[in-house]
Amino acid sequence: MTLSPRYLDPYQTVEVRVNALLAEMSMPEKVAQLQSVWVNALIDAERRFAPERAAAPLQHGIGQIARVGGASILPPVQSAELANAIQGYLKYHTRLGIPALVHEESCAGYLARGATTFPQPIGLAATWQPELIEAMARLIRQQMRAVGAHHALAPVLDVARDARWGRIEETFGEDPYLISQMGIAYVRGLQGDDLREGIAATLKHFLGYSASEGGMNWAPAHIGARELREVYAMPFKAAIHVARAASVMNAYSEIDGLPLGSSRELLYDLLRRELGFSGVVASDYFTLKTFVDYHQIAADKTEAARFGLEAGIDLELPAADCYGEPLLQGLATGKIDPQLVEESVKRVLTLKFQLGVFENPFVETGRIPEIYSDKQGATLSRQIAEKTLVLLKNEGDLLPLSPSLESIAVIGPHADSLRLLQGDYHFPSHYEGLFDPSVSLDAPTPSENAIHLDWSALLPPSISVLEGIRSVVSPTTQVLYAKGCEVIGDDRSGFEAAIAAVERAQVAVVVVGDKSGLSKPAGATSGESIDSATLELPGLQGELIKAVQATGTPTVVVLLIGRPYAITWLAEHVPAILVAWLPAEQGGAAIANALFGKVNPSGRLPITFPRHVGQVPIFYAHKPSGGRSNWWGDYVDLCAKPLYAFGHGLSYTHFAYSDLSIDSAQVRPDQSVNIAFTLKNIGERAGDEVVQLYVSDPIASVTRPVKLLKGFKRVTLQPNESKRITFRLDARHLAFYDRAMRYVVEPGKIIVSIGASSEDIRLVGEFEIVGESTVVEQVYTTPVQVS
């Protein structure tokens, strides 16, 4: 009778199994667990698993396989079969049979062929409804698990306050509290109650990545220790403590001379010791080699590997480079401490056992068609897209439009495009112009000479804005369409047809915005590495809007954008503006439903809109000395106030706030206070109001933001309906790092503001914190009761 190795015994604890497996492993096998390999390095020209190509990279096993579904561009069943083939090779053709984890991207849906696409995260944040994000993440989990994936490189928890930065669209906006709630919901939905049935979430990018010089990608960030913890680390800490996030990814950037991936001070002392994270740290793609050729802190890749291990980076993604032969050489020559490898391997193996891959490395392909053809995905995507829509302006109640209009002109490059509904981490826009995974068998990297592919056939079933409008209006309504111009470029030849269509119409809907992606040669205007110095609408789109407006035809502008733009002229001259962000496959239907009143747009801005690029970074939670120029207040040539404030958004109905009550005039640092008020729909339509709780600490031992969001709730009310809203605010929400860098609640007066945005405050009250300054543990969520 042959006994199975102890590490294969599912009745042992994870710790026992990890230690038992480590005792069996050689150093090359341990190092292999810190590595990843692109799936395209393991397949042939027909995209089938190729054992002869896998023999070298998988000879000692492997930690992860990069993007089996995403980079292979195979349909779901075939990608699952490929994952099974790779796992079978590892199980039966390597000495220890250790399964690999398959990682994929899932910023706004599983980034792979056939998967459901959801609105980009900046739009998800505009819903102010975390439960929708949790539902989305559950569906992503189901689709990813079905095809053999285990590890998702999402969510993005960067606090984004500079609209020039191209990755704004991947974030949940500017506010740490709002980001925390969205991040908690995302991780809960993705990982589930039992990680053996879930997908490991990855919090990224740790830390301060979004606060870069000039809004430029990978540029240094200049952040003090207090702000780093109170603002930028808060969403990460919340997702770690509340949702038990399994993985964290480093930022590419540097703080105070230390590239994040090499910083033991931030990745170990802060992340692991201070924030309490015990999981796996995965490198952002190609991080380690940047120590040599970008940041220039390492003489060679062996030294880069040492920096990474000392900082606590456990996995090198997407392929073995510095953690390949350079690491082995460093171990052989004594330049790298083997104990560092031991610590990282323990964390990698622990995650594998937690995910249950040793018991079940394979997936059953029979149910995949059912899971991927389920209408639940499209229904949920549309529901979320409808909730993302932010009505910035509606002068004269131009919206909603009547479905019985005699004629409507639909204008703009985005009006009849499915591709332009997508963000930079949607499939297939993520790959467009960057590389062609169907052709390249080598590790794909950004290239100006990339092979280009027509991706239109691989777009998910989608609904354009034009198609959505045609499906909503009456059979007798004449829908006149003209593109007008492209997203970028200076070709005005389409203006004449656009103006002619507008002049024949009762109303014009102009649909403009970004082309999101990762490739400037492919025309991307927003997305990773696609930064902006002007915040003007790309190309001739602004001129097209002006030409349409000049006809005198009532005009609605729909913005499909990935970042806030300085749309001051639009705000002054166009009567109605709807922000639709990058709404994904069901975006056209959602927009049409809002334009014609089938749904009431009730999203709220998760990020401030500036008047001009010269104001950025601009955000509501500035310090008392911020947001103005002393002593005149404004710039000499511009108002210092934002164009549209954080939390702003209109509705087709109106709401009244009244009867504020605060149940305690005084509370101690270990107590909570109930803050209640009545909300009433005083309009003629049903609608959602996003009620927002802000707090202010007028006198503190260190400067505090003028106000901070500490609670919110999206509330649906019928006409004339009222609800009582109660926030239970824990005094620990008022804590901050004092002069000694202790996290304390100080005694003093606290101002409570209830509003419809950070500027539209409807009710104000106060209470007092009494007692001594008290060191406290951080809290993350304010419970809300609606009765």
Side-chain angles (χ1 to χ4, degrees):
M1 177 178 178
T2 302
L3 295 177
S4 295
R6 198 176 189 194
Y7 67 85
L8 292 179
D9 183 355
Y11 296 102
Q12 300 293 330
T13 66
V14 167
E15 183 179 8
V16 167
R17 298 179 75 182
V18 168
N19 289 332
L21 180 51
L22 280 169
E24 300 284 338
M25 298 174 74
S26 66
M27 184 56 73
E29 288 169 332
K30 291 177 182 178
V31 169
Q33 291 302 308
L34 311 186
Q35 301 172 352
S36 182
V37 61
W38 275 106
V39 68
N40 287 336
L42 308 177
I43 59 179
D44 61 22
E46 283 73 44
R47 287 178 283 159
R48 297 173 301 196
F49 179 66
E52 67 280 4
R53 300 196 78 215
L58 301 187
Q59 62 180 313
H60 299 299
I62 198 74
Q64 297 223 353
I65 311 295
R67 305 200 199 182
V68 170
S72 73
I73 70 168
L74 288 168
V77 171
Q78 287 90 332
S79 75
E81 291 170 346
L82 175 56
N84 282 344
I86 294 169
Q87 298 288 17
Y89 184 91
L90 289 167
K91 183 177 179 67
Y92 301 114
H93 296 280
T94 63
R95 189 176 74 89
L96 295 173
I98 303 173
L101 297 185
V102 173
H103 78 253
E104 301 278 2
E105 297 285 358
S106 66
C107 184
Y110 170 33
L111 198 163
R113 187 172 173 181
T116 305
T117 59
F118 294 95
Q120 275 286 74
I122 193 66
L124 299 176
T127 69
W128 292 61
Q129 196 164 352
E131 54 267 33
L132 281 178
I133 281 64
E134 185 168 348
M136 176 197 76
R138 285 197 298 269
L139 191 137
I140 293 171
R141 182 215 313 170
Q142 184 182 26
Q143 292 186 344
M144 290 182 70
R145 265 289 184 174
V147 296
H150 315 96
H151 186 188
L153 305 187
V156 173
L157 299 186
D158 294 308
V159 178
R161 294 177 167 182
D162 190 328
R164 295 171 296 180
W165 190 52
R167 302 193 79 170
I168 286 281
E169 64 184 67
E170 300 172 44
T171 78
F172 294 124
E174 75 177 50
D175 181 74
Y177 183 83
L178 178 61
I179 298 167
S180 295
Q181 305 317 302
M182 296 300 179
I184 289 168
Y186 188 105
V187 175
R188 279 177 167 165
L190 196 68
Q191 294 191 169
D193 297 327
D194 184 347
L195 205 53
R196 290 174 295 182
E197 304 297 326
I199 298 291
T202 304
L203 314 180
K204 62 186 194 184
H205 308 84
F206 196 87
L207 190 62
Y209 180 37
S210 51
S212 57
E213 287 179 357
M216 293 185 289
N217 202 40
W218 291 26
H222 305 283
I223 309 170
R226 186 173 286 103
E227 184 181 12
L228 193 72
R229 287 161 173 79
E230 291 183 354
V231 176
Y232 294 93
M234 177 182 167
F236 290 86
K237 191 174 181 182
I240 290 165
H241 282 250
V242 180
R244 310 179 315 280
S247 179
V248 168
M249 177 176 279
N250 68 279
Y252 286 116
S253 52
E254 66 168 85
I255 294 178
D256 198 23
L258 298 178
L260 266 297
S262 72
S263 175
R264 186 171 178 86
E265 294 86 345
L266 294 176
L267 287 186
Y268 193 87
D269 294 343
L270 177 58
L271 177 61
R272 294 196 185 279
R273 289 182 175 174
E274 204 172 313
L275 272 57
F277 178 68
S278 60
V280 167
V281 174
S283 80
D284 207 340
Y285 279 20
F286 316 110
T287 286
L288 297 179
K289 79 181 189 72
T290 69
F291 302 160
V292 179
D293 59 19
Y294 190 79
H295 293 294
Q296 301 175 23
I297 62 168
D300 54 33
K301 291 182 178 181
T302 293
E303 189 173 17
R306 178 173 63 82
F307 275 133
L309 286 169
E310 287 177 345
I313 289 185
D314 303 313
L315 282 166
E316 182 179 24
L317 306 184
D321 186 4
C322 299
Y323 279 7
E325 190 59 32
L327 171 53
L328 291 169
Q329 290 176 2
L331 291 166
T333 58
K335 293 180 178 180
I336 295 177
D337 183 353
Q339 184 59 34
L340 295 172
V341 173
E342 198 84 5
E343 291 171 1
S344 285
V345 174
K346 278 187 177 182
R347 289 190 285 262
V348 170
L349 294 177
T350 296
L351 181 58
K352 288 189 173 186
F353 282 115
Q354 289 171 337
L355 285 162
V357 294
F358 281 85
E359 283 67 61
N360 191 15
F362 307 110
V363 292
E364 169 55 52
T365 61
R367 288 194 61 238
I368 291 175
E370 175 190 350
I371 291 170
Y372 276 77
S373 64
D374 194 336
K375 293 182 180 179
Q376 174 189 358
T379 300
L380 181 60
S381 185
R382 182 181 299 196
Q383 179 187 9
I384 294 175
E386 290 173 348
K387 297 292 185 75
T388 68
L389 303 175
V390 181
L391 184 60
L392 291 184
K393 183 181 180 184
N394 192 20
E395 189 176 276
D397 291 332
L398 176 58
L399 294 176
L401 303 172
S402 169
S404 300
L405 284 169
E406 291 181 7
S407 58
I408 181 173
V410 185
I411 308 297
H414 294 66
D416 194 28
S417 172
L418 304 183
R419 164 64 179 86
L420 296 178
L421 299 172
Q422 292 202 321
D424 68 342
Y425 273 74
H426 283 124
F427 183 87
S429 60
H430 182 76
Y431 296 117
E432 182 186 23
L434 193 64
F435 62 86
D436 183 350
S438 71
V439 175
S440 172
L441 295 177
D442 298 317
T445 57
S447 170
E448 295 296 321
N449 301 313
I451 299 170
H452 292 271
L453 181 72
D454 179 8
W455 294 97
S456 60
L458 299 181
L459 285 165
S462 304
I463 300 172
S464 72
V465 178
L466 180 62
E467 182 185 353
I469 289 173
R470 283 174 170 160
S471 69
V472 170
V473 297
S474 72
T476 61
T477 300
Q478 185 180 18
V479 180
L480 307 164
Y481 164 68
K483 191 174 189 178
C485 65
E486 301 293 341
V487 177
I488 59 174
D490 56 4
D491 183 0
R492 308 174 70 96
S493 61
F495 274 39
E496 183 177 350
I499 299 309
V502 171
E503 288 176 339
R504 294 167 54 200
Q506 285 181 281
V507 66
V509 174
V510 186
V511 193
V512 295
D514 281 311
K515 180 179 182 181
S516 177
L518 277 72
S519 173
K520 284 184 181 178
T525 65
S526 176
E528 184 176 357
S529 84
I530 312 296
D531 309 315
S532 172
T534 68
L535 298 187
E536 299 291 333
L537 285 174
L540 293 176
Q541 294 180 90
E543 295 302 311
L544 177 65
I545 296 169
K546 290 179 181 179
V548 170
Q549 179 70 6
T551 66
T553 301
T555 301
V556 178
V557 171
V558 178
L559 297 172
L560 272 64
I561 53 177
R563 70 172 107 234
Y565 280 99
I567 53 170
T568 302
W569 186 91
L570 293 186
E572 292 173 352
H573 294 92
V574 173
I577 306 171
L578 183 71
V579 177
W581 310 105
L582 297 164
E585 62 183 59
Q586 295 294 312
I591 291 165
N593 287 342
L595 292 175
F596 290 90
K598 294 185 72 173
V599 300
N600 190 341
S602 302
R604 299 293 183 264
L605 291 181
I607 190 167
T608 302
F609 272 50
R611 296 176 184 273
H612 188 275
V613 69
Q615 292 178 289
V616 299
I618 184 170
F619 49 95
Y620 85 92
H622 57 76
K623 297 295 184 71
S625 60
R628 60 194 173 103
S629 176
N630 188 55
W631 56 91
W632 296 112
D634 289 332
Y635 296 96
V636 69
D637 49 5
L638 189 74
C639 172
K641 295 291 185 184
L643 182 63
Y644 290 109
F646 173 82
H648 170 75
L650 304 178
S651 170
Y652 294 157
T653 189
H654 300 280
F655 299 90
Y657 294 64
S658 63
D659 303 325
L660 176 67
S661 68
I662 300 175
D663 69 352
S664 300
Q666 295 183 329
V667 297
R668 297 191 306 271
D670 61 347
Q671 293 180 323
S672 297
V673 58
N674 289 321
I675 301 163
F677 66 97
T678 299
L679 181 72
K680 183 176 182 179
N681 184 344
I682 57 174
E684 298 178 354
R685 291 175 177 265
D688 293 357
E689 178 73 327
V690 178
V691 296
Q692 301 162 39
L693 168 67
Y694 295 90
V695 298
S696 306
D697 187 348
I699 304 294
S701 61
V702 297
T703 62
R704 302 297 298 140
V706 292
K707 60 172 73 81
L708 285 171
L709 180 73
K710 288 299 177 183
F712 61 87
K713 184 67 176 178
R714 186 165 181 148
V715 182
T716 302
L717 293 177
Q718 298 299 315
N720 208 39
E721 183 181 13
S722 298
K723 293 285 186 182
R724 190 72 176 165
I725 316 297
T726 303
F727 291 102
R728 185 162 182 81
L729 179 69
D730 193 310
R732 291 175 291 174
H733 274 298
L734 283 304
F736 55 86
Y737 287 89
D738 68 5
R739 292 185 174 224
M741 289 302 289
R742 302 174 306 166
Y743 194 67
V744 302
V745 174
E746 289 185 348
K749 182 173 71 172
I750 300 300
I751 306 298
V752 173
S753 301
I754 304 290
S757 80
S758 58
E759 292 294 325
D760 185 6
I761 301 300
R762 307 292 182 88
L763 301 168
V764 178
E766 63 181 61
F767 64 90
E768 183 182 10
I769 298 175
V770 297
E772 301 294 324
S773 290
T774 304
V775 175
V776 298
E777 294 294 322
Q778 194 161 2
V779 292
Y780 306 101
T781 303
T782 298
V784 190
Q785 181 180 348
V786 180
S787 58

